Amino acid sequence: MQRIEELLTGTVIKGAAQRWQADISREQVQLQKTKKDFEGDLTLVVFPLMRHARKSPEETARELGTWLESELSEVSSFNVIKGFLNIVISTAYWQQVIAHVAEEKNYGLTEPGPGAPLMMVEYSSPNTNKPLHLGHIRNNLLGYSISRILEANGNKVIKVNLVNDRGIHICKSMLAWQKYGNGETPESSRKKGDKLVGDYYVKFDQEYKKQVRELTEGGMDRKKAEETAPLIREAREMLLKWEADDPEVRHLWETMNGWVYDGFDTTYQRMGVSFDKMYYESETYKLGRELVREGLKKGVLEQEEDGSVWADLTDRKLDRKLLLRSDGTSVYMTQDIGTAHQRFSEYPIEEHIYVVGNEQNYHFQVLAHVLDKLGFEWYDKLYHLSYGMVELPEGKMKSREGTVVDADDLMDEMIRTARQMSDELGKLEGYGEEEKQVIYRQIGMGALKYFILKVDPKKNMLFDPKESIDFNGNTGPFIQYTYARIRSVLRSAGEYDSVIPRVDLNEKETDVIRLVHDFPVTVGTAAREHNPSVIANFMYDLAKEFNQFYHDHSILSAEDPDIRLFRIHLSRIIGDIIERGMGLLGIEVPERM
RNA sequence: GGUUCCGUAGCUCAGCUGGAUAGAGCAACAGCCUUCUAAGCUGUAGGUCGAAGGUUCGAAUCCUUCCGGAAUCACCA
């Protein structure tokens, strides 16, 4: 089925050629949705065509309107206001849209075929010392959602997670546990593993600061004190032992990481995110060194007298970037070069998306340039899905100052609020406790996820813990509620004929169908722009529009049986789209709420 | 200081590949449940789109400068 926009554009081009002997491009045909206050479905802006028509805007518009009306049965009428040609699309066309949607299995989505392009999405990438907080929630939800959106556009997607499980910071929590832990385990203290390890990381910091303070009070300067405090020296020793494969250190490391992974898994599961492949920095941190050395040989990188290796990007308006330290060890960038190379060798990757905060914009810019310098032609297949910080009213979240919003706590609170609201409204009276739990979780998580995903990723966003996340208005539960009402209607409808009758459409019905018609385009836009908020905002518009229809017109008690049947089908279709669209955001929809 | 991003209603956000009178939600106020779930619907009020120039028939949208905020520019990860 050809979309009406295509049809109109083609016909306008044909008309321009026939009537004015003008060769106009598709870009010059500016079609947009008609504003609510005017009559029509689509509006053609004729200003760009005036120099071809050599007539006034009004005359140009009228001429094209007449032409379109005569050429296309889909155009039922038109009106002209200034340079705007408002086109009214026929009921038959909208009917056809509905028939088409009903036939298609997963309307709006494109299944990945056998030759589907492969996309790799790296997200989450946690640090094993730090329990997940609200910032990570944004990362995880974005990563998961963009994966779903890419899949919905016919791509094969591999979701990967690169865990930061090594380095001096890990040794800090290990050391603190050895010194102050008294053998505490997640079992013994009934604490989540990631929280337990995180607590020792904090403990290290406290004790270390104490030592530094004692040293400075004894007359040592601050920098020296920070360098020579016993704890930091021990941590460094431990790192050396770790790198030397010391069995005792390695054993402790594995044990504590195991606790953390158990904790993370629980949180991931609650968030509803998953990965196809895990990478660990302890296994990848040596990658990239060889590539850098080769680059040095090829002469695209340079070496200082002290042995350190650099990429000179000053000709590309960037700085020089260190790739190997003077002692030959690598930095973060080196590892990223290595892992990217490894992945591109292993898979035929069409696009590699890194879901990482905007604090690393510079890093990824440099990464692409260095890869280009090294001669990897796939350097431009990296895409940094950069997102802004989640800020609190008092500013940025800082783990050390305890101003973080913990992921688990927040999820608990959302679900608790969902329960409280539901109980107050008495919505789920008579349901079993287990069934209720599922719904509370769906609603609480829906509110949280929608809250995060409706915002353009690149923007910083504000979260005020004092004002809990809303459940009314432009929210996840609003959309879920619309779905639940549709399901409720369909349950009451019982058996109904599968053939959709052709009936006249009222205004609200047409409004809703127009949005149905836009759904596939929206899914495409979200993928192209790597932006789930496009879907979120569309879902809101759709739910809003349907609610108006629902309010103004009765579905089941429509007098005309054909209209009744049509509205049942229309509702079912909207419900399906809501379910599918929310699925792209990782949000479940409840049958009732 | 250099680079990048952001600045739209009291608050949180849409709109930004230029198009008609700048839209939602929250909060405030006023209404709508004997009728498919009121977590809904309707209305009122709320805006010099950070500021000034420029390009254009037309600028919240593009360009320049300035102001405000954020991030980043480590032999940290």
Side-chain angles (χ1 to χ4, degrees), chain A residues 444-457:
Chain A
M445 291 305 295
L448 175 59
K449 289 181 177 186
Y450 185 86
F451 176 79
I452 300 275
L453 289 174
K454 77 168 175 191
V455 181
D456 186 335

Side-chain angles (χ1 to χ4, degrees), chain A residues 292 296 301-311 320-329 331:
Chain A
V292 170
L296 197 55
L301 303 176
E302 38 195 65
Q303 190 159 32
E304 295 270 296
E305 281 174 15
D306 63 4
S308 57
V309 180
W310 298 74
R320 274 160 44 97
K321 177 72 196 174
L322 177 87
L323 297 176
L324 287 178
R325 297 191 187 101
S326 47
D327 63 5
T329 56
V331 293

Side-chain angles (χ1 to χ4, degrees), chain A residues 103-140:
Chain A
E103 267 170 38
E104 230 180 277
K105 190 139 195 289
N106 268 314
Y107 171 72
L109 314 190
T110 311
E111 303 286 322
L118 184 84
M119 309 264 173
M120 186 167 274
V121 180
E122 179 185 299
Y123 70 102
S124 200
S125 306
N127 176 323
T128 53
N129 273 330
K130 293 177 184 163
L132 304 172
H133 59 66
L134 186 49
H136 298 113
I137 292 183
R138 193 175 193 189
N139 180 303
N140 282 283

Side-chain angles (χ1 to χ4, degrees), chain A residues 361-461:
Chain A
N361 284 354
Y362 183 73
H363 174 86
F364 283 100
Q365 213 185 332
V366 169
L367 176 62
H369 279 108
V370 172
L371 290 169
D372 181 25
K373 247 185 170 353
L374 289 171
F376 299 116
E377 69 287 352
W378 42 262
Y379 76 94
D380 59 349
K381 292 184 175 177
L382 306 189
Y383 180 88
H384 177 201
L385 174 44
S386 163
Y387 61 90
M389 303 280 130
V390 183
E391 285 164 346
L392 301 172
E394 60 270 24
K396 210 187 153 183
M397 284 190 273
K398 293 192 182 106
S399 355
R400 287 189 195 156
E401 291 168 27
T403 57
V404 291
V405 177
D406 180 81
D408 295 309
D409 293 349
L410 181 57
M411 288 191 280
D412 286 341
E413 196 193 313
M414 294 305 300
I415 294 165
R416 211 180 310 125
T417 311
R419 165 193 287 272
Q420 193 191 328
M421 279 200 75
S422 184
D423 290 352
E424 272 170 26
L425 294 167
K427 292 282 189 176
L428 297 176
E429 278 161 19
Y431 290 102
E433 188 55 30
E434 219 167 289
E435 199 175 353
K436 282 185 186 173
Q437 293 293 346
V438 172
I439 295 170
Y440 298 148
R441 188 184 52 77
Q442 287 176 329
I443 297 171
M445 291 305 295
L448 175 59
K449 289 181 177 186
Y450 185 86
F451 176 79
I452 300 275
L453 289 174
K454 77 168 175 191
V455 181
D456 186 335
K458 73 169 183 283
K459 290 194 176 180
N460 286 359
M461 61 182 292

